[in-house]
Amino acid sequence: MRELPVLSIVIPCYNEEKVLPVTAPEFLGELEHLAGRGKISKDSYILFVNDGSKDATWDIIKNLSLENPHFRGISQSRNRGHQNAVLAGLMDARKRADITISIDCDGQDDIHAMEAMVDAYHGGADVVYGVRSKRTTDTFFKRFTAESFYRLMNWMGAEVVFNHADYRLLSSRVLDALAQFKEVNIFLRGMVPLIGFNSTSVYYERHERLAGESHYPLKKMIALAFDGITSLSIRPIRMITGVGALISVLGLIAILWAIIMRVSGNTVDGWASLVCIVAFLGGIQLLCLGIIGEYVGKTYLETKGRPRYIISERTPGENVREKGNIDDRSNLL
């Protein structure tokens, strides 16, 4: 009989003092439910990752760990962003758990979908994506921008699962493969599909945030999309090449036309048209330089090889692995 897997529920937290007391008992209840039904080991646990919160989030996590041994926590030395926080939790759980489920702590993702994810794992899946079945609770603007985000990502060459964020189950061998990805610019939604292995999806309805405020306004969504595209695809560079070739052809035609008009003596003063052309080409050139500069900047950051996160503290009772041990690379990634 197959040994029951140890599950680690990885939950990134940034300034979540209002919502944590509400959702932590729900996560614990689902963990106990799965263990009680014999689907996961009773040694399974919940791992909170404090992403440099400025409020009482870390104090709440420490208190939770003292109240119940199924609660654990690690704290980053500073705020490094949602994706780095998720990665920190996944890599910390890699040598302690057989499977991980990453989920946000705001209660919007349906925690009861975890059971279907674990069932899919027992059925042979190494990756199980949590996918929103519909967006009826979203405003038109939110729905339009979110769906446009996924379409833009795929069109630009960054392979992502439509309507999937960071709610997913990963097996230990997928985590081992993910640990081999060394890039500093992290976009897990696009990196996980690159790993491969047998995957499936579980569909669920998303709820309203239980407390607190969203940390992903439109500005951050646009920044996330731009980071994902430039981290996973070179299609924008190729598009620049195509635009440059097209403008060159049009420019050559315009030069020939100007020569013909000059020879025929039909030229007139063209100040307005000249200004328009210069302004248009100047704008295109600056845009192209900006996109190229983004890639150059990312290359610069990658060559530095800086840590993607640094764990500064663990909840009481957490055993820190021996310094220098290969299993403790989570502090250095």
Side-chain angles (χ1 to χ4, degrees), residues 136-269:
T136 54
T137 58
D138 290 346
T139 63
F140 171 78
F141 180 76
K142 173 64 176 177
R143 182 166 59 253
F144 174 77
T145 54
E147 292 181 351
S148 298
F149 166 82
Y150 291 105
R151 291 191 176 96
L152 175 65
M153 293 294 296
N154 281 299
W155 185 65
M156 283 292 185
E159 181 185 350
V160 295
V161 178
F162 192 76
N163 274 339
H164 162 71
D166 287 289
Y167 188 19
R168 68 179 75 87
L169 178 148
L170 301 176
S171 70
S172 58
R173 65 173 183 164
V174 174
L175 291 177
D176 289 339
L178 180 62
Q180 299 178 43
F181 285 65
K182 303 301 181 183
E183 54 258 49
V184 175
N185 302 285
I186 304 167
F187 186 69
L188 292 173
R189 300 183 200 183
M191 292 168 63
V192 172
L194 291 176
I195 296 174
F197 292 108
N198 186 28
S199 65
T200 187
S201 297
V202 167
Y203 296 87
Y204 68 95
E205 292 187 26
R206 207 161 192 246
H207 311 299
E208 295 291 336
R209 185 181 177 92
L210 295 181
E213 298 178 354
S214 172
H215 300 303
Y216 260 92
L218 178 61
K219 180 180 178 181
K220 282 194 174 182
M221 285 293 293
I222 294 174
L224 180 66
F226 198 67
D227 282 342
I229 292 168
T230 53
S231 297
L232 298 169
S233 172
I234 61 169
R235 182 168 293 179
I237 296 291
R238 292 177 177 172
M239 290 176 64
I240 288 175
T241 303
V243 170
L246 177 61
I247 292 178
S248 297
V249 172
L250 294 176
L252 179 60
I253 294 174
I255 291 173
L256 293 175
W257 174 79
I259 293 174
I260 293 172
M261 295 298 292
R262 176 62 180 173
V263 171
S264 63
N266 294 325
T267 56
V268 294
D269 293 339

Side-chain angles (χ1 to χ4, degrees), residues 91-96 176 309 314 321-333:
M91 293 298 102
D92 189 82
R94 182 164 65 101
K95 297 300 182 181
R96 305 185 184 199
D176 289 339
Y309 57 84
R314 296 175 181 268
R321 290 181 286 261
E322 182 181 353
K323 185 177 180 181
N325 190 304
I326 189 171
D327 292 349
D328 197 32
R329 292 192 62 196
S330 60
N331 286 353
L332 303 175
L333 292 174

Side-chain angles (χ1 to χ4, degrees), residues 15-315:
N15 293 344
E16 302 289 4
E17 64 178 4
K18 293 181 180 180
V19 75
L20 261 181
V22 179
T23 56
E26 295 189 3
F27 290 123
L28 180 60
E30 184 65 16
L31 192 77
E32 293 174 341
H33 169 74
L34 293 174
R37 297 199 63 182
K39 297 189 175 184
I40 60 173
S41 169
K42 293 182 178 180
D43 293 328
S44 300
Y45 62 96
I46 299 165
L47 178 64
F48 294 107
V49 183
N50 178 42
D51 188 23
S53 298
K54 296 179 176 63
D55 59 7
T57 296
W58 181 235
D59 292 331
I60 294 173
I61 293 173
K62 288 190 289 186
N63 290 333
L64 286 171
S65 70
L66 292 173
E67 294 170 3
N68 193 302
H70 290 295
F71 287 122
R72 303 180 186 181
I74 57 177
S75 182
Q76 297 202 89
S77 60
R78 52 156 293 180
N79 176 253
R80 299 298 298 270
H82 180 272
Q83 297 292 283
N84 294 72
V86 174
L87 183 68
L90 294 177
M91 293 298 102
D92 189 82
R94 182 164 65 101
K95 297 300 182 181
R96 305 185 184 199
D98 301 301
I99 52 176
T100 63
I101 294 179
S102 57
I103 184 173
D104 290 338
C105 69
D106 54 19
Q108 288 187 283
D109 295 318
D110 185 7
I111 63 172
H112 302 299
M114 291 185 186
E115 185 168 1
M117 290 181 172
V118 174
D119 289 340
Y121 167 76
H122 285 298
D126 285 291
V127 180
V128 185
Y129 300 105
V131 180
R132 292 186 65 173
S133 58
K134 54 185 178 181
R135 288 183 171 271
T136 54
T137 58
D138 290 346
T139 63
F140 171 78
F141 180 76
K142 173 64 176 177
R143 182 166 59 253
F144 174 77
T145 54
E147 292 181 351
S148 298
F149 166 82
Y150 291 105
R151 291 191 176 96
L152 175 65
M153 293 294 296
N154 281 299
W155 185 65
M156 283 292 185
E159 181 185 350
V160 295
V161 178
F162 192 76
N163 274 339
H164 162 71
D166 287 289
Y167 188 19
R168 68 179 75 87
L169 178 148
L170 301 176
S171 70
S172 58
R173 65 173 183 164
V174 174
L175 291 177
D176 289 339
L178 180 62
Q180 299 178 43
F181 285 65
K182 303 301 181 183
E183 54 258 49
V184 175
N185 302 285
I186 304 167
F187 186 69
L188 292 173
R189 300 183 200 183
M191 292 168 63
V192 172
L194 291 176
I195 296 174
F197 292 108
N198 186 28
S199 65
T200 187
S201 297
V202 167
Y203 296 87
Y204 68 95
E205 292 187 26
R206 207 161 192 246
H207 311 299
E208 295 291 336
R209 185 181 177 92
L210 295 181
E213 298 178 354
S214 172
H215 300 303
Y216 260 92
L218 178 61
K219 180 180 178 181
K220 282 194 174 182
M221 285 293 293
I222 294 174
L224 180 66
F226 198 67
D227 282 342
I229 292 168
T230 53
S231 297
L232 298 169
S233 172
I234 61 169
R235 182 168 293 179
I237 296 291
R238 292 177 177 172
M239 290 176 64
I240 288 175
T241 303
V243 170
L246 177 61
I247 292 178
S248 297
V249 172
L250 294 176
L252 179 60
I253 294 174
I255 291 173
L256 293 175
W257 174 79
I259 293 174
I260 293 172
M261 295 298 292
R262 176 62 180 173
V263 171
S264 63
N266 294 325
T267 56
V268 294
D269 293 339
W271 178 84
S273 59
L274 180 62
V275 169
C276 290
I277 291 172
V278 171
F280 173 73
L281 291 178
I284 290 293
Q285 288 172 345
L286 289 174
L287 175 63
C288 294
L289 285 174
I291 295 175
I292 294 172
E294 183 70 20
Y295 279 95
V296 172
K298 277 186 165 50
T299 302
Y300 172 70
L301 293 175
E302 293 289 347
T303 56
K304 284 180 174 292
R306 289 175 176 171
R308 295 181 287 187
Y309 57 84
I310 299 174
I311 298 173
S312 61
E313 190 176 354
R314 296 175 181 268
T315 50

